[in-house]
Amino acid sequence: MILGATAAAGASYVSARNAILEGIQDQTMLKLRDQIVAYLPTVSLPPTQATLDAFAAALKPSGALVVYHDLHSSSGMAPQDVPGALREAVASSTNIQFQRVVVQGFPMFFVGIPVQTGSGRTSGIEVYAMTPLGQQQAAIEELTRTAWQTAALALPFAVAVALLAARQVLRPVRALNTAADQLGRGRLDVRLHVKGSDELAQLVTTFNHTAAELERTVGTLRAMEADARRFVADVSHELRTPLAAMNAVTDVLDEDADKLPADTAVAARLVSAETKRLTRLVQDLIEISRFDAGRAELRREELDVAAAVTDSLTARGWQPGAENSGVVADLPAGITAALDRRRLDIVVANLVGNALRHGAPPVEVVLRADPGAVVLTVTDHGPGIPDEVLPRIFDRFAKADTSRARSEGSGLGLSIARENARLHGGDVVAANTGTGARFELRLPREAGSGEAR
């Protein structure tokens, strides 16, 4: 709008300026041509000095210059007053020539006419006249001032109209942007009111249809996910009772295995090992289902972290420094934190157990205190984690060796370890050291805003 108003004012100025200049130019050239045609019959060729003077005196306005080869009229303009480019153009043409120049700061209009005889032959006489353009220049400057004043007066109106138009256009765009942001944040029920039938209205209609379809699809997926989680939780809980009975039976079989025939003893030990593995898997599934359902509870207490980690290792026969334990530890005393003892035990057991199963001894367990946090690193000296597996090592049922259909663990240990760390407001990260794998557990020493609920 503003550019349009400025362009219109500029175009009007250029048009009026050209009209003013063309008017004075045409008037001067036509008047001079008519005077030459009227006086030419009285001129004899070749002209004398007196003829040239009389010719110049007969032309109006006064001050014209008449030139014939080396002769020129003695009154009015001198030959050097005429622009050289104009004289060259007249000498090489049979048409009227003109040029606008500024002489000592004043605009001037020069016209040159090569005079032809009645038979159409060139006479060799050249006539030059000059007209000052001061009045026209003043009119043009006044026109310029008027154009700028008009543009200045129109500018506020143009700005107001442009802002109003932009507001009308941008308002639905802003509303659409806000709705899209809310949709991205999970508000799938957001909708916009459709006004009109233009392209913006069609865009809003498309957005509403997209949001509705997304809400329906996400709702279906959430329902299916909830059903799957509920199914896993229900099956896991239903398996607890028969597994408890099976564990009791396998305990008896383990005690009497030495008294059984060799083949029967092998079968009994195999059933016992698989029952224990199935029990661990069910326990892990139940733990995962609690996280998925948001029912995992955190019971903090002030712990000596070194003592808690030592107890966890000792309970599983991984006494640090003991012969054949495969675990060495650097656990400085005096590092305390408000943690859930049971969940810390689960994390330590999963990290160290994973290092012992898939790495190689010695497994180094190191505790240190950072500002506001405690850090426990578990480092093994095995083959490390394949690069393609490392980004998803904490996924459920992730396997470092995909060629193995099953392993001793459930495949949920690292995932459960990370869930417990995040429940505290911390995290677990994995990396390769070049000589093995390293898992770093970082937990806040006090309950903070990062703690999961």
Side-chain angles (χ1 to χ4, degrees):
M1 182 70 72
I2 297 174
L3 292 177
T6 304
S12 299
Y13 161 74
V14 172
S15 177
R17 176 181 178 274
N18 291 338
I20 292 173
L21 293 176
E22 289 174 1
I24 187 63
Q25 292 170 182
D26 293 345
Q27 179 184 355
T28 301
M29 290 187 294
L30 292 175
K31 183 178 179 180
L32 183 61
R33 184 193 64 182
D34 293 343
Q35 290 177 358
I36 293 172
V37 171
Y39 190 80
L40 187 59
T42 65
V43 177
S44 59
L45 299 174
T48 64
Q49 181 66 48
T51 301
L52 295 179
D53 289 341
F55 198 166
L59 299 176
K60 302 294 180 183
S62 60
L65 172 66
V66 181
V67 178
Y68 181 78
H69 299 305
D70 294 335
L71 296 177
H72 61 85
S73 56
S74 58
S75 62
M77 288 191 300
Q80 59 268 25
D81 294 334
V82 180
L86 179 61
R87 293 203 62 183
E88 292 177 1
V90 172
S92 61
S93 174
T94 59
N95 299 320
I96 300 176
Q97 304 294 324
F98 66 91
Q99 186 175 1
R100 290 194 300 268
V101 297
V102 176
V103 179
Q104 296 180 352
F106 296 97
M108 308 296 288
F109 175 70
F110 287 86
V111 60
I113 300 177
V115 178
Q116 294 178 313
T117 63
S119 61
R121 293 180 300 170
T122 301
S123 66
I125 299 175
E126 300 172 357
V127 178
Y128 299 94
M130 176 193 68
T131 300
L133 299 177
Q135 292 182 352
Q136 288 73 23
Q137 182 65 27
I140 292 172
E141 291 176 354
E142 180 63 27
L143 180 64
T144 303
R145 286 192 295 270
T146 302
W148 282 114
Q149 289 172 357
T150 302
L153 291 174
L155 183 61
F157 175 74
V159 171
V161 173
L163 290 176
L164 180 62
R167 183 178 181 184
Q168 294 298 323
V169 173
L170 293 178
R171 182 184 298 169
V173 175
R174 292 194 186 99
L176 187 62
N177 180 67
T178 301
D181 181 69
Q182 292 175 345
L183 187 67
R185 295 175 183 272
R187 277 199 55 190
L188 302 182
D189 60 340
V190 63
R191 301 291 186 274
L192 293 173
H193 180 63
V194 181
K195 294 182 180 179
S197 58
D198 56 7
E199 288 79 2
L200 281 174
Q202 295 175 5
L203 179 61
V204 170
T205 301
T206 302
F207 173 83
N208 288 340
H209 289 165
T210 303
E213 184 64 20
L214 181 62
E215 183 180 23
R216 185 191 65 79
T217 302
V218 172
T220 301
L221 292 175
R222 286 175 175 173
M224 293 173 61
E225 183 181 14
D227 290 342
R229 288 175 176 175
R230 188 164 46 251
F231 174 78
V232 171
D234 291 345
V235 169
S236 300
H237 281 85
E238 289 297 323
L239 288 174
R240 294 179 71 179
T241 300
L243 281 174
M246 292 174 64
N247 277 306
V249 172
T250 56
D251 288 342
V252 174
L253 290 176
D254 285 339
E255 292 177 0
D256 296 339
D258 294 337
K259 303 177 183 179
L260 298 174
D263 292 343
T264 304
V266 171
R269 292 190 178 94
L270 178 61
V271 169
S272 177
E274 291 300 314
T275 301
K276 287 181 173 60
R277 180 178 180 277
L278 181 60
T279 300
R280 285 195 300 271
L281 175 60
V282 169
Q283 290 172 347
D284 288 345
L285 287 173
I286 292 174
E287 187 73 12
I288 285 290
S289 68
R290 290 195 184 102
F291 285 113
D292 289 343
R295 296 198 302 267
E297 297 180 354
L298 193 64
R299 298 179 180 178
R300 289 184 180 269
E301 59 179 298
E302 196 69 20
L303 297 178
D304 183 320
V305 181
V309 172
T310 301
D311 291 344
S312 178
L313 297 175
T314 302
R316 290 165 178 81
W318 304 328
Q319 179 67 40
E323 186 177 358
N324 297 327
S325 73
V327 177
V328 294
D330 180 8
L331 305 172
I335 299 177
T336 60
L339 304 175
D340 186 314
R341 182 184 294 272
R342 184 182 72 84
R343 296 191 180 280
L344 176 62
D345 175 72
I346 292 174
V347 175
V348 172
N350 280 313
L351 294 183
V352 177
N354 180 79
L356 290 172
R357 282 192 300 272
H358 303 296
V363 173
E364 300 171 358
V365 181
V366 179
L367 176 67
R368 74 174 190 272
D370 279 359
V374 293
V375 180
L376 184 72
T377 57
V378 178
T379 307
D380 65 56
H381 292 77
I385 304 170
D387 293 337
E388 66 275 11
V389 177
L390 188 59
R392 51 185 178 83
I393 191 65
F394 292 102
D395 292 351
R396 296 174 185 181
F397 299 106
K399 294 180 180 179
D401 185 359
T402 55
S403 64
R404 292 182 301 173
R406 64 197 299 273
S407 61
E408 181 182 348
S410 67
L412 296 172
L414 292 179
S415 176
I416 291 174
R418 171 169 273 189
E419 292 287 354
N420 278 290
R422 289 179 172 177
L423 190 65
H424 281 87
D427 201 359
V428 182
V429 294
N432 285 315
T433 63
T435 58
R438 172 175 294 159
F439 290 84
E440 180 178 278
L441 168 68
R442 179 178 293 270
L443 300 175
R445 303 185 72 168
E446 301 292 338
S449 58
E451 180 177 315
R453 299 293 181 190

